[in-house]
Amino acid sequence: MVEHLSYLLTGIITTERENSHEVFEIYVLKMFPQVFTVITYNTWLAVLVLIVNSVSTLTLCFSDQIIIMGSLALGNYFEIFNERMKTHKGKNLTPDQWKTLRVDYTRLCNLARLLNDCVCHLLCVSLLIHVYIICVEMHQGVVRTNEHFSLSHYVHAILSFMVSSLRGCLLCLCSVKIYENSKLPKRSLYEIPQQSFCNEVDFFLLQIQKDHIGLTGSHMFLMTRRFLLTMFGTIVSYEILLVQMKGYSSRKNP
Protein backbone atom coordinates (compact mmCIF):
# COMPACT_ATOMS: atom_id res chain seq x y z
CA MET A 1 0.00 0.00 0.00
CA VAL A 2 2.90 2.39 0.67
CA GLU A 3 4.15 1.84 -2.86
CA HIS A 4 0.67 2.32 -4.33
CA LEU A 5 0.05 5.53 -2.38
CA SER A 6 3.44 6.81 -3.49
CA TYR A 7 2.48 6.00 -7.08
CA LEU A 8 -0.79 7.93 -6.81
CA LEU A 9 0.76 10.91 -5.00
CA THR A 10 3.53 11.16 -7.58
CA GLY A 11 0.97 11.34 -10.34
CA ILE A 12 -1.03 14.01 -8.52
CA ILE A 13 2.01 16.15 -7.70
CA THR A 14 3.42 16.05 -11.22
CA THR A 15 0.10 16.70 -12.96
CA GLU A 16 -0.01 20.06 -14.70
CA ARG A 17 -2.71 22.30 -13.30
CA GLU A 18 -3.25 24.72 -16.14
CA ASN A 19 -6.97 23.90 -16.22
CA SER A 20 -8.15 22.88 -12.79
CA HIS A 21 -11.35 21.24 -14.04
CA GLU A 22 -9.31 18.91 -16.25
CA VAL A 23 -6.79 17.86 -13.62
CA PHE A 24 -8.44 14.49 -13.07
CA GLU A 25 -8.51 13.73 -16.79
CA ILE A 26 -4.88 14.76 -17.26
CA TYR A 27 -3.86 12.70 -14.23
CA VAL A 28 -5.64 9.53 -15.40
CA LEU A 29 -4.37 9.83 -18.97
CA LYS A 30 -0.84 10.30 -17.66
CA MET A 31 -0.89 7.44 -15.15
CA PHE A 32 -2.73 4.88 -17.30
CA PRO A 33 -1.67 5.47 -20.92
CA GLN A 34 -1.77 1.74 -21.65
CA VAL A 35 -5.56 1.82 -21.18
CA PHE A 36 -6.59 5.07 -22.83
CA THR A 37 -4.44 4.65 -25.90
CA VAL A 38 -6.68 1.73 -26.77
CA ILE A 39 -10.09 3.06 -25.71
CA THR A 40 -11.57 6.54 -25.58
CA TYR A 41 -11.41 8.44 -22.31
CA ASN A 42 -14.53 8.53 -20.19
CA THR A 43 -14.89 9.83 -16.64
CA TRP A 44 -16.73 6.78 -15.33
CA LEU A 45 -14.30 4.51 -17.10
CA ALA A 46 -11.41 6.40 -15.50
CA VAL A 47 -12.97 5.89 -12.06
CA LEU A 48 -13.36 2.19 -12.82
CA VAL A 49 -9.70 1.97 -13.84
CA LEU A 50 -8.64 3.58 -10.55
CA ILE A 51 -10.81 1.17 -8.57
CA VAL A 52 -9.47 -1.86 -10.44
CA ASN A 53 -5.91 -0.65 -9.95
CA SER A 54 -6.40 -0.20 -6.20
CA VAL A 55 -8.21 -3.52 -5.78
CA SER A 56 -5.47 -5.31 -7.72
CA THR A 57 -2.82 -3.82 -5.45
CA LEU A 58 -4.74 -4.87 -2.33
CA THR A 59 -5.23 -8.35 -3.77
CA LEU A 60 -1.51 -8.74 -4.39
CA CYS A 61 -0.71 -7.60 -0.85
CA PHE A 62 -3.30 -9.96 0.61
CA SER A 63 -2.06 -12.93 -1.43
CA ASP A 64 1.51 -12.26 -0.28
CA GLN A 65 0.35 -12.21 3.33
CA ILE A 66 -1.48 -15.52 2.91
CA ILE A 67 1.61 -17.21 1.48
CA ILE A 68 3.96 -15.69 4.06
CA MET A 69 1.75 -16.54 7.05
CA GLY A 70 1.15 -20.09 5.83
CA SER A 71 4.86 -20.62 5.19
CA LEU A 72 5.87 -19.27 8.59
CA ALA A 73 3.27 -21.38 10.39
CA LEU A 74 4.21 -24.63 8.67
CA GLY A 75 7.91 -23.87 8.95
CA ASN A 76 7.48 -23.42 12.70
CA TYR A 77 5.71 -26.79 12.90
CA PHE A 78 8.76 -28.43 11.33
CA GLU A 79 11.02 -26.55 13.74
CA ILE A 80 9.00 -27.84 16.69
CA PHE A 81 9.29 -31.37 15.33
CA ASN A 82 13.03 -30.91 14.93
CA GLU A 83 13.32 -29.79 18.56
CA ARG A 84 11.44 -32.94 19.49
CA MET A 85 13.95 -34.97 17.49
CA LYS A 86 16.83 -33.30 19.30
CA THR A 87 15.48 -34.49 22.64
CA HIS A 88 15.95 -38.09 21.41
CA LYS A 89 19.47 -37.51 20.13
CA GLY A 90 21.86 -40.15 21.46
CA LYS A 91 19.09 -42.19 23.11
CA ASN A 92 18.17 -45.80 22.44
CA LEU A 93 14.63 -45.80 21.09
CA THR A 94 12.50 -48.78 20.23
CA PRO A 95 11.22 -49.37 16.67
CA ASP A 96 7.72 -48.40 17.81
CA GLN A 97 9.00 -45.03 19.04
CA TRP A 98 10.79 -44.42 15.76
CA LYS A 99 7.63 -45.37 13.90
CA THR A 100 5.66 -42.83 15.93
CA LEU A 101 8.14 -40.11 15.00
CA ARG A 102 8.05 -41.10 11.35
CA VAL A 103 4.24 -41.08 11.27
CA ASP A 104 4.16 -37.62 12.86
CA TYR A 105 6.65 -36.37 10.28
CA THR A 106 4.52 -37.87 7.50
CA ARG A 107 1.50 -35.98 8.82
CA LEU A 108 3.45 -32.73 8.64
CA CYS A 109 4.45 -33.58 5.07
CA ASN A 110 0.83 -34.22 4.14
CA LEU A 111 -0.11 -30.87 5.67
CA ALA A 112 2.62 -29.21 3.60
CA ARG A 113 1.30 -30.85 0.44
CA LEU A 114 -2.20 -29.65 1.25
CA LEU A 115 -0.95 -26.09 1.74
CA ASN A 116 1.02 -26.29 -1.50
CA ASP A 117 -2.05 -27.45 -3.42
CA CYS A 118 -3.94 -24.42 -2.11
CA VAL A 119 -1.37 -21.70 -2.75
CA CYS A 120 0.93 -23.04 -5.50
CA HIS A 121 -0.79 -21.13 -8.32
CA LEU A 122 -1.07 -18.02 -6.15
CA LEU A 123 2.64 -18.23 -5.36
CA CYS A 124 3.55 -18.59 -9.03
CA VAL A 125 1.52 -15.55 -10.09
CA SER A 126 2.72 -13.45 -7.16
CA LEU A 127 6.35 -14.34 -7.78
CA LEU A 128 6.08 -13.54 -11.48
CA ILE A 129 4.49 -10.17 -10.70
CA HIS A 130 7.27 -9.25 -8.26
CA VAL A 131 9.99 -10.26 -10.71
CA TYR A 132 8.25 -8.33 -13.49
CA ILE A 133 7.95 -5.19 -11.35
CA ILE A 134 11.61 -5.37 -10.30
CA CYS A 135 12.78 -5.87 -13.89
CA VAL A 136 10.62 -3.00 -15.18
CA GLU A 137 11.90 -0.62 -12.50
CA MET A 138 15.48 -1.64 -13.20
CA HIS A 139 14.88 -1.08 -16.91
CA GLN A 140 13.47 2.39 -16.29
CA GLY A 141 16.31 3.24 -13.94
CA VAL A 142 18.94 2.32 -16.53
CA VAL A 143 17.32 3.45 -19.78
CA ARG A 144 15.92 6.76 -18.52
CA THR A 145 18.99 8.00 -16.64
CA ASN A 146 19.49 10.94 -19.01
CA GLU A 147 15.98 12.29 -18.54
CA HIS A 148 15.27 14.97 -15.96
CA PHE A 149 12.49 14.31 -13.47
CA SER A 150 11.18 16.06 -10.41
CA LEU A 151 12.14 15.10 -6.89
CA SER A 152 8.86 13.25 -6.40
CA HIS A 153 9.67 10.97 -9.33
CA TYR A 154 13.01 10.00 -7.84
CA VAL A 155 11.50 9.46 -4.39
CA HIS A 156 8.78 7.26 -5.84
CA ALA A 157 11.24 5.29 -7.98
CA ILE A 158 13.54 4.56 -5.02
CA LEU A 159 10.67 3.77 -2.66
CA SER A 160 8.92 1.56 -5.21
CA PHE A 161 12.07 -0.42 -5.96
CA MET A 162 12.87 -0.90 -2.27
CA VAL A 163 9.34 -1.99 -1.38
CA SER A 164 9.07 -4.36 -4.35
CA SER A 165 12.46 -5.90 -3.59
CA LEU A 166 11.71 -6.32 0.11
CA ARG A 167 8.32 -7.88 -0.57
CA GLY A 168 9.79 -10.25 -3.12
CA CYS A 169 12.65 -11.25 -0.81
CA LEU A 170 10.31 -11.76 2.14
CA LEU A 171 7.98 -13.89 0.04
CA CYS A 172 10.82 -16.05 -1.26
CA LEU A 173 12.62 -16.48 2.07
CA CYS A 174 9.45 -17.45 3.91
CA SER A 175 8.51 -19.92 1.17
CA VAL A 176 11.95 -21.53 1.33
CA LYS A 177 11.63 -22.00 5.09
CA ILE A 178 9.34 -25.02 4.69
CA TYR A 179 11.81 -26.90 2.52
CA GLU A 180 14.79 -26.06 4.70
CA ASN A 181 13.09 -27.03 7.96
CA SER A 182 11.73 -30.27 6.52
CA LYS A 183 15.33 -31.48 6.08
CA LEU A 184 16.47 -30.66 9.62
CA PRO A 185 15.57 -34.05 11.22
CA LYS A 186 18.34 -35.66 9.15
CA ARG A 187 20.93 -34.23 11.53
CA SER A 188 19.40 -36.03 14.49
CA LEU A 189 19.08 -39.29 12.56
CA TYR A 190 22.74 -39.20 11.57
CA GLU A 191 23.76 -39.13 15.24
CA ILE A 192 21.68 -41.97 16.64
CA PRO A 193 23.61 -44.78 18.38
CA GLN A 194 24.18 -48.03 16.57
CA GLN A 195 22.05 -49.96 19.06
CA SER A 196 19.04 -47.80 18.18
CA PHE A 197 19.31 -48.23 14.42
CA CYS A 198 16.50 -50.27 12.86
CA ASN A 199 14.40 -50.50 9.71
CA GLU A 200 12.14 -47.67 10.88
CA VAL A 201 15.14 -45.35 11.11
CA ASP A 202 16.23 -46.42 7.65
CA PHE A 203 12.74 -45.75 6.26
CA PHE A 204 12.60 -42.41 8.07
CA LEU A 205 15.96 -41.27 6.71
CA LEU A 206 15.10 -42.41 3.20
CA GLN A 207 11.81 -40.53 3.35
CA ILE A 208 13.51 -37.28 4.36
CA GLN A 209 16.17 -37.61 1.67
CA LYS A 210 13.90 -38.54 -1.22
CA ASP A 211 10.72 -36.64 -0.37
CA HIS A 212 11.12 -32.96 -1.26
CA ILE A 213 8.61 -31.04 0.84
CA GLY A 214 7.98 -27.37 0.18
CA LEU A 215 5.96 -24.82 -1.72
CA THR A 216 6.01 -24.86 -5.50
CA GLY A 217 5.01 -22.47 -8.23
CA SER A 218 2.11 -24.24 -9.96
CA HIS A 219 4.01 -27.51 -9.40
CA MET A 220 6.64 -26.34 -11.91
CA PHE A 221 9.48 -25.35 -9.58
CA LEU A 222 10.27 -25.94 -5.92
CA MET A 223 11.08 -22.99 -3.68
CA THR A 224 14.63 -23.75 -2.54
CA ARG A 225 17.75 -21.70 -1.95
CA ARG A 226 19.22 -22.95 -5.21
CA PHE A 227 16.18 -21.72 -7.11
CA LEU A 228 16.37 -18.32 -5.40
CA LEU A 229 20.05 -17.96 -6.28
CA THR A 230 19.29 -18.90 -9.89
CA MET A 231 16.51 -16.32 -10.08
CA PHE A 232 18.69 -13.67 -8.45
CA GLY A 233 21.49 -14.41 -10.90
CA THR A 234 19.07 -14.07 -13.81
CA ILE A 235 17.94 -10.64 -12.59
CA VAL A 236 21.54 -9.49 -12.14
CA SER A 237 22.38 -10.73 -15.65
CA TYR A 238 19.42 -8.76 -16.97
CA GLU A 239 20.70 -5.62 -15.24
CA ILE A 240 24.21 -6.10 -16.66
CA LEU A 241 22.76 -6.60 -20.12
CA LEU A 242 20.76 -3.38 -19.81
CA VAL A 243 23.86 -1.43 -18.76
CA GLN A 244 25.84 -2.82 -21.69
CA MET A 245 23.06 -2.02 -24.16
CA LYS A 246 22.78 1.49 -22.71
CA GLY A 247 26.52 2.03 -23.13
CA TYR A 248 26.45 0.69 -26.68
CA SER A 249 23.53 2.91 -27.70
CA SER A 250 25.17 5.99 -26.14
CA ARG A 251 28.38 5.37 -28.11
CA LYS A 252 26.42 4.76 -31.29
CA ASN A 253 24.29 7.89 -30.88
CA PRO A 254 26.44 10.44 -29.02
Side-chain angles (χ1 to χ4, degrees):
M1 284 305 298
V2 175
E3 178 190 2
H4 185 64
L5 291 176
S6 173
Y7 172 77
L8 296 178
L9 289 175
T10 301
I12 295 174
I13 293 173
T14 57
T15 300
E16 298 178 358
R17 293 174 172 78
E18 296 178 357
N19 297 318
S20 58
H21 63 281
E22 296 180 353
V23 169
F24 180 74
E25 179 180 353
I26 297 173
Y27 164 73
V28 173
L29 292 176
K30 181 179 180 181
M31 301 304 291
F32 304 99
Q34 66 275 14
V35 177
F36 295 102
T37 53
V38 179
I39 56 179
T40 307
Y41 173 82
N42 181 277
T43 303
W44 292 108
L45 184 60
V47 173
L48 179 61
V49 169
L50 287 174
I51 294 175
V52 171
N53 181 258
S54 300
V55 171
S56 300
T57 303
L58 290 174
T59 303
L60 180 61
C61 296
F62 185 67
S63 62
D64 289 345
Q65 290 181 2
I66 291 177
I67 298 171
I68 291 172
M69 292 173 64
S71 301
L72 290 176
L74 195 54
N76 288 334
Y77 277 130
F78 278 106
E79 285 185 358
I80 293 173
F81 181 82
N82 185 56
E83 294 297 327
R84 179 183 170 190
M85 289 288 297
K86 288 181 179 180
T87 59
H88 300 301
K89 185 183 296 185
K91 297 181 180 179
N92 293 326
L93 301 182
T94 63
D96 290 337
Q97 290 176 316
W98 283 118
K99 183 178 181 180
T100 301
L101 291 172
R102 185 173 63 84
V103 170
D104 292 342
Y105 179 80
T106 303
R107 290 173 179 171
L108 282 178
C109 294
N110 292 333
L111 182 61
R113 293 189 185 95
L114 180 61
L115 176 64
N116 181 57
D117 291 337
C118 294
V119 302
C120 64
H121 302 298
L122 193 63
L123 175 61
C124 182
V125 173
S126 181
L127 190 62
L128 289 176
I129 291 175
H130 285 303
V131 172
Y132 171 77
I133 292 174
I134 292 174
C135 290
V136 168
E137 291 176 351
M138 292 172 63
H139 177 269
Q140 292 179 350
V142 173
V143 175
R144 304 174 66 180
T145 52
N146 296 331
E147 300 182 18
H148 298 285
F149 297 104
S150 61
L151 179 61
S152 59
H153 271 102
Y154 290 112
V155 172
H156 166 68
I158 296 173
L159 181 62
S160 178
F161 182 77
M162 291 178 59
V163 172
S164 300
S165 301
L166 289 175
R167 285 175 58 185
C169 291
L170 184 62
L171 178 67
C172 294
L173 293 177
C174 291
S175 302
V176 171
K177 187 176 181 181
I178 296 178
Y179 176 82
E180 296 295 329
N181 291 348
S182 67
K183 300 297 182 181
L184 292 178
K186 286 193 302 183
R187 302 176 183 177
S188 300
L189 292 176
Y190 287 150
E191 299 179 7
I192 64 173
Q194 184 177 1
Q195 297 81 3
S196 183
F197 190 83
C198 60
N199 290 333
E200 287 295 335
V201 176
D202 194 14
F203 294 154
F204 195 4
L205 188 59
L206 184 64
Q207 179 180 356
I208 296 175
Q209 291 176 341
K210 299 298 182 180
D211 199 2
H212 301 294
I213 301 300
L215 296 184
T216 63
S218 297
H219 301 289
M220 293 186 295
F221 53 86
L222 181 65
M223 296 297 294
T224 62
R225 290 185 180 181
R226 179 176 298 181
F227 173 77
L228 294 185
L229 290 175
T230 302
M231 184 173 62
F232 178 75
T234 303
I235 295 176
V236 172
S237 300
Y238 172 75
E239 174 70 12
I240 295 174
L241 182 62
L242 285 178
V243 173
Q244 291 176 343
M245 293 179 62
K246 178 67 175 178
Y248 175 76
S249 61
S250 61
R251 290 195 302 269
K252 187 176 180 180
N253 300 314

